[in-house]
Amino acid sequence: MRLNLREIQDKPGSQLAFSCELDTERLEFPAVEKYLVPPHAEGVVKNAAGALSLSGKITAELVCICDRCAMPFELRREVPLEVKLTEDPQDPEDPELFPIEDSELDLDELLETCFILDMDSKFLCRPDCAGLCPGCGANLNDGECTCRQTYDPRLAVLEQLLDNES
């Protein structure tokens, strides 16, 4: 979606509201199984003394796969938006500025970029997720596993001592 900013570009103090849904096909992540509620963005583009900025939020509800225990869990994401906009072609290298071309803003690209950059690098069902046992694959969040604990192979001689005591 392209947002036409001609109405507010030359009028300091003016603003333009927006509300849209993001395309989930372009927002695929390995740990995201599906979107329960597609990402929805709403906010305003403001002209403050000739400087344009976008503010608002993106909300979404997802089903993710935990990176430690591989169990699905629901996650609600709320991404705050605070983006400075520029028409100056000299500034494309500044990561703080998002370009406006021909008085239009590519809203889809801006919102998708903000959503992707705000995603976690690891998806965890809970902060203290214990993960899976490396020996038997049991989910350690459900309790301890029954497999024998393995030791460092360099300590095998000491393990024999433990076996002899039993």
Side-chain angles (χ1 to χ4, degrees):
M1 175 176 147
R2 296 196 64 82
L3 192 60
N4 188 338
L5 301 176
R6 285 185 184 92
E7 296 175 18
I8 66 167
Q9 241 172 344
D10 298 325
K11 296 179 187 172
S14 60
Q15 61 185 24
L16 179 63
F18 66 88
S19 178
C20 64
E21 193 171 284
L22 279 68
D23 183 10
T24 56
E25 287 184 23
R26 294 181 51 170
L27 299 173
E28 293 183 11
F29 300 91
V32 175
E33 191 171 85
K34 67 180 176 178
Y35 287 88
L36 296 174
V37 176
H40 178 79
E42 56 185 35
V44 294
V45 177
K46 298 177 186 175
N47 183 336
L52 295 176
S53 64
L54 179 142
S55 60
K57 66 179 177 179
I58 303 172
T59 56
E61 291 182 29
L62 331 145
V63 174
C64 301
I65 304 299
C66 181
D67 285 330
R68 287 189 189 154
C69 69
M71 296 300 295
F73 68 98
E74 291 183 15
L75 175 67
R76 186 177 189 329
R77 301 278 309 168
E78 190 167 301
V79 179
L81 300 171
E82 287 297 328
V83 180
K84 297 175 191 172
L85 308 173
T86 184
E87 285 187 284
D88 187 358
Q90 302 293 330
D91 290 332
E93 299 301 319
D94 187 347
E96 298 292 318
L97 299 174
F98 201 87
I100 299 171
E101 298 170 359
D102 299 325
S103 298
E104 289 187 340
L105 175 64
D106 187 348
L107 196 57
D108 289 335
E109 183 180 341
L110 183 145
L111 296 173
E112 288 168 1
T113 300
C114 290
F115 189 75
I116 290 168
L117 290 176
D118 192 67
M119 288 301 264
D120 297 327
S121 58
K122 280 195 176 270
F123 290 86
L124 300 177
C125 59
R126 59 186 201 214
D128 63 339
C129 177
L132 301 175
C133 171
C136 67
N139 188 342
L140 298 175
N141 293 319
D142 297 336
E144 293 189 25
C145 65
T146 58
C147 71
R148 182 181 171 134
Q149 179 133 8
T150 59
Y151 296 99
D152 188 330
R154 295 171 291 183
L155 302 176
V157 173
L158 296 176
E159 185 177 8
Q160 291 173 1
L161 290 174
L162 291 174
D163 289 339
N164 290 339
E165 288 181 11
S166 325

